[in-house]
Amino acid sequence: MLIALLLLAPIFELVLASFTFDAAASGADRFANWRESFSDPRIVGATLNTISLSLGRQAISLLIGVFIAWLIARTNLPARGWIEVGFWIALFMPALPLVLAWILVFGMINAGLQAVFPTMDAALDIYSWWGIVWVHLVTSTIAVKVFLVVPAFKAIDSSLEEAARTSGASLWATFGQISLPLIIPTLLVVTIVGLVRSMQAFEVELVLGAPIDLEVYSTVIYRAMSQEPPLTGQATTLSIALLLAVAPLVYLQERMARRRRAGALSGRFSNRVQNLGRARWPLFFMVAGLLAVMTVVPMVLLMMATFMKVFGIFDLANPWTLDNWTAAFLRGDIVRALVNTLKLGFSAAAIGMILFTGLAYAALHWRGRARQVLDFVTWVPALVPGVILSLGLLLMFSGVPFLRPLYGTMTVLVVAILFSTITIGTQLTKGGLAQLGAELEEAGRACGASFFFRIRRIVLPLIAPTIAVVGLEIFATANAAVGIVSLLSTGVTEPLSLLQLNLLNAGKLESAAVVGIVIATLTIGSALLARSIATRTGVGRYAR
Amino acid sequence: MVREIDLELRAGEILTLLGASGCGKTTTLRIAIGLERCSGGRLVYAGETVDCPEERRFVPPESRDMGMVFQSYAVWPHMSVYENVAFPLKARGFSKGEIADRVAEALELVGLPGLQERGGTQLSGGQQQRVAIARALAFQPRILLMDEPFSNLDTRLREQMRTDLRLLQQRLGLSILFVTHDQGEALALSDRVAVMHQGRIEQIGSPRDVYSRPATPFVRDFIGTALRLNGTLRGRTEHQATVALADGTALTVGGSIHLDPARKDGPVLLTIRLEDLTLHKEVRESAPNVVPAHIRALLFLGDHQEAMAELPDGTVATIKVPSNVDWSVGDRILIELPAASIQLWPAEPAP
């Protein structure tokens, strides 16, 4: 119950604030904030942008992602195992460093084109609707689709496809008429998850939308809070509106996911793959090329950018320099931010590993009401966009008297990271515990072992790999998190991700690139470590 | 894994590939329809080469016009019964009206009329089985390939389906290539049986041939159960041999002799089907080809009894006797081994 209160407190604070701050402060008109917010034409524009960006991203990424997932799971695409790992890495590519890399790539392409056709205007503009969609697609939106859909395709009994082939259907007709319809339930869930995530997107829009006044919901909230004085009333009303818009989608997804689990396949199962024939190698090069565009290309260019005198300008007499790196480490702010990020990552991981294991154990062993409440509260943070959670926590830590001393400390950031990882962390650990089965622990009980002895000597050693994976996931999240910590950090506690955001906003792109490389290295490193633990021990494979 | 196969499916026959799991029978079937490709050799269907790596020729499964029934049935769960059966017809571009006619006909054929709108997963195992067969037959192929189609059904249903399939095959004049590991099914259903072992065909012939005249030790041990006796070859003519058992009993062998023609003596193995044995209570010292035994146990099973008879060398044979025979444990009896039913093999090292 205490945990439930703690988890729901930020949301409660939001609702409260929307009726008490700013226009509603006098108490005369409690709904003033609501009315003002929704008569503002900027908000209407942001709503439309949020919707169109979300739908655009999802439509394109579904088409591409599902096709690639099918290639990986159901065909003899060369090196499909490695390609799957590649998309898994792409899933962890931190958004902000990649935004920077793509600004550079677009600039280079434009410069190249103008060198050939001097009269031409800049052909590609990254500061645009399509620019935002593109960066989202190549950072994680396609990778998420691949990641979530591959297991569904792998679960198809290949005799269902072979029966179609022997019935006279071609490879492509089999894909369209058999394989694809069979995973429709998964596709619906994946689409909804994608829509929810799109509506929560923050940092890409913040950086690429600003120059052209393209606002989305989350950036409007962020700007309302980061101006002086902050427009708390407007920010909170918008937050609640967005929550209400997202909630039914999350509910729908939960229900579908549950129903899907019930209808498991049975009988003899074979997973032979379909032969792509002549299309095999061309498709391999297409997919591998896309993967390179999503991972290697931006990383290499970002690395190059850190050694450039002026970001993106190659035609200086000598464009290369080491100054950015030396300056970065001499200036002290990067070192301090790195220390902050590591502190944040390690403390959140350490606390999260203990906390989520406890929650997962409780969720499996409690019965009745208590369990339902627990399930619910560990799901709620998944539906709250990062910026809004950040706002809620800000209000909580500045509004509740006994929490106020913590405001501006690292503790607040750790709490924020724990909030944003509680759902995935608990789910993963629950999966690990459920796999164990109750009998192993009951056997310990039958042998006369006490509760703590059982936990220490039986349960923990057996799920240690799962817990390690959870820890690394938390660490990776802490490294790359922007939205969730955006409103909570003060200068002293500023982690790398926010330093990069500020450098970007200040136009110091070379230094931002240096920070981006550091973030990407930490994130991808811990993600790879998690993957290798997970595959070697076979736990939590598809739970993310 | 398949090493070397030379096989011909004749028009209008049921040819069964029989073997233990992993012997290559399913792979052979999958090569036949093109779900797998052979690494060498030639596969000819109706005069046309459909798979020949040496000539770089391969006709994909969708163009081979063979019907196939899978072990898991592979009834598509997202389609109704009608859509499942109509699928091969749609893939071939039949008109709407023709599809409706043929689907109805196919479902009628397998005894499933009236279930057209049922979803693929709302069917029992036996019904899914019938839908799978209807789907494979819908476009009226000349060849039907079946991969262990009855192995997921219960015993009673399996026997029913066996009979139904035989009747259907005779009515339509189909050629069926059938894969099973169940020897009873293979013997009951087939015109010819090919016994496979380690990727090769050990023996191919009518069920009677394969059962009564096994050509290799593998087929002998794989199909049916036989009494095995060790002995010493004493002498032989072209079609007959005399063998002495360990206790000195001499037996005349008149069945197949699988020995080097030059061999005239040395250790040998005698085998005889249990059902060819006859038990006698009263001792007739002069009778030929009899071996003494005594009854160790007697199980009453209603329509018959099972007698476990122990021979002098310690071998125990379980033999059916009529239920009205009034014997008891410990009785001394004689087992008669008809000369024509005994087969002679080279001796095998003790396992």
Side-chain angles (χ1 to χ4, degrees), chain A residues 260-325:
Chain A
R260 191 159 50 100
R261 258 174 256 138
L265 293 165
S266 61
R268 294 216 12 151
F269 185 82
S270 67
N271 51 4
R272 290 191 183 83
V273 294
Q274 299 281 305
N275 191 347
L276 288 172
R278 256 176 237 126
R280 193 164 172 245
W281 285 100
L283 283 169
F284 167 76
F285 286 115
M286 273 168 61
V287 176
L290 178 65
L291 202 50
V293 165
M294 292 167 72
T295 54
V296 182
V297 171
M299 283 304 84
V300 167
L301 284 166
L302 194 61
M303 194 50 127
M304 276 167 61
T306 64
F307 294 107
M308 292 179 85
K309 281 192 183 129
V310 185
F311 187 84
I313 308 289
F314 289 91
D315 39 7
L316 295 177
N318 179 12
W320 308 106
T321 177
L322 281 173
D323 291 353
N324 297 323
W325 284 92

Side-chain angles (χ1 to χ4, degrees), chain B residues 170-230:
Chain B
Q170 283 168 354
R171 184 140 62 107
L172 301 177
L174 280 173
S175 311
I176 298 180
L177 185 57
F178 193 95
V179 160
T180 184
H181 66 271
D182 179 337
Q183 45 173 300
E185 194 166 280
L187 296 175
L189 198 58
S190 319
D191 293 303
R192 288 192 300 153
V193 178
V195 183
M196 287 190 70
H197 180 52
Q198 293 183 341
R200 290 180 213 280
I201 293 177
E202 290 269 332
Q203 184 177 2
I204 180 163
S206 70
R208 200 176 294 278
D209 261 359
V210 173
Y211 185 81
S212 316
R213 281 182 290 284
T216 67
F218 175 79
V219 178
R220 174 195 74 205
D221 298 338
F222 186 71
I223 295 180
T225 40
L227 177 65
R228 300 160 64 103
L229 294 169
N230 291 309

Side-chain angles (χ1 to χ4, degrees), chain A residues 28-90:
Chain A
D29 182 358
R30 287 285 172 218
F31 289 92
N33 283 323
W34 288 88
R35 233 186 345 268
E36 263 178 34
S37 296
F38 288 96
S39 50
D40 186 342
R42 257 189 27 186
I43 308 290
V44 179
T47 311
L48 292 178
N49 286 335
T50 306
I51 293 172
S52 72
L53 280 169
S54 298
L55 292 179
R57 272 169 71 182
Q58 291 314 314
I60 298 170
S61 65
L62 262 183
L63 281 178
I64 300 172
V66 168
F67 183 62
I68 292 173
W70 175 74
L71 288 174
I72 290 173
R74 305 247 39 115
T75 73
N76 62 346
L77 188 76
R80 52 192 184 278
W82 287 107
I83 288 177
E84 194 183 351
V85 175
F87 276 98
W88 198 78
I89 293 170

Side-chain angles (χ1 to χ4, degrees), chain A residues 157-171 173-174 177-179 181-182 265 267-268 272 274-275, chain B residues 26 30 33 35-37 60-62 66-68 70-72 74-79 87-88 91-92 135 139 152:
Chain A
D157 186 342
S158 56
S159 62
L160 292 172
E161 292 170 334
E162 287 169 350
R165 298 300 298 278
T166 61
S167 295
S170 69
L171 174 68
T174 304
Q177 292 171 45
I178 305 295
S179 319
L182 280 173
L265 293 165
R268 294 216 12 151
R272 290 191 183 83
Q274 299 281 305
N275 191 347
Chain B
T26 294
R30 292 170 63 84
I33 197 159
L35 288 170
E36 246 147 89
R37 303 175 68 155
E62 62 265 31
M66 303 177 183
M68 177 151 174
F70 291 81
Q71 182 172 15
S72 63
V75 172
W76 298 305
H78 60 299
M79 297 183 189
F87 188 90
R92 285 175 175 73
R135 182 175 66 193
F139 66 96
N152 289 334

Side-chain angles (χ1 to χ4, degrees), chain A residues 516-528:
Chain A
I517 285 290
V518 177
I519 294 176
T521 311
L522 284 176
T523 313
I524 296 168
S526 47
L528 280 177

Side-chain angles (χ1 to χ4, degrees), chain A residues 151-400:
Chain A
F153 271 132
K154 280 190 175 163
I156 295 178
D157 186 342
S158 56
S159 62
L160 292 172
E161 292 170 334
E162 287 169 350
R165 298 300 298 278
T166 61
S167 295
S170 69
L171 174 68
W172 307 107
T174 304
F175 170 59
Q177 292 171 45
I178 305 295
S179 319
L180 202 55
L182 280 173
I183 62 154
I184 279 178
T186 307
L187 285 185
L188 288 175
V189 173
V190 169
T191 309
I192 294 169
V193 170
L195 282 173
V196 171
R197 283 181 62 133
S198 297
M199 289 163 91
Q200 301 174 350
F202 170 63
E203 53 263 53
V204 178
E205 286 78 355
L206 187 67
V207 175
L208 296 181
I212 52 164
D213 281 326
L214 192 152
E215 296 272 14
V216 294
Y217 244 87
S218 52
T219 59
V220 170
I221 295 168
Y222 175 74
R223 283 192 208 291
M225 282 313 287
S226 41
Q227 71 184 63
E228 259 331 307
L231 299 174
T232 312
Q234 189 191 51
T236 49
T237 41
L238 291 180
S239 299
I240 294 161
L242 182 53
L243 275 186
L244 291 177
V246 166
L249 291 179
V250 175
Y251 173 74
L252 205 64
Q253 176 248 320
E254 251 296 89
R255 260 193 48 175
M256 282 179 164
R258 208 163 282 165
R259 202 172 49 196
R260 191 159 50 100
R261 258 174 256 138
L265 293 165
S266 61
R268 294 216 12 151
F269 185 82
S270 67
N271 51 4
R272 290 191 183 83
V273 294
Q274 299 281 305
N275 191 347
L276 288 172
R278 256 176 237 126
R280 193 164 172 245
W281 285 100
L283 283 169
F284 167 76
F285 286 115
M286 273 168 61
V287 176
L290 178 65
L291 202 50
V293 165
M294 292 167 72
T295 54
V296 182
V297 171
M299 283 304 84
V300 167
L301 284 166
L302 194 61
M303 194 50 127
M304 276 167 61
T306 64
F307 294 107
M308 292 179 85
K309 281 192 183 129
V310 185
F311 187 84
I313 308 289
F314 289 91
D315 39 7
L316 295 177
N318 179 12
W320 308 106
T321 177
L322 281 173
D323 291 353
N324 297 323
W325 284 92
T326 46
F329 287 100
L330 286 176
R331 256 204 348 248
D333 53 352
I334 293 187
V335 178
R336 192 186 62 202
L338 176 62
V339 171
N340 280 338
T341 290
L342 291 178
K343 263 196 218 165
L344 175 61
F346 280 119
S347 2
I351 298 172
M353 278 153 64
I354 299 169
L355 182 67
F356 300 162
T357 307
L359 286 176
Y361 190 87
L364 282 177
H365 288 79
W366 285 359
R367 295 275 166 268
R369 225 341 126 53
R371 182 200 185 128
Q372 279 175 2
V373 171
L374 195 63
D375 275 344
F376 175 70
V377 293
T378 51
W379 262 107
V380 167
L383 78 95
V384 184
V387 175
I388 297 180
L389 200 50
S390 203
L391 177 56
L393 287 170
L394 174 71
L395 293 170
M396 187 170 96
F397 278 102
S398 61
V400 181

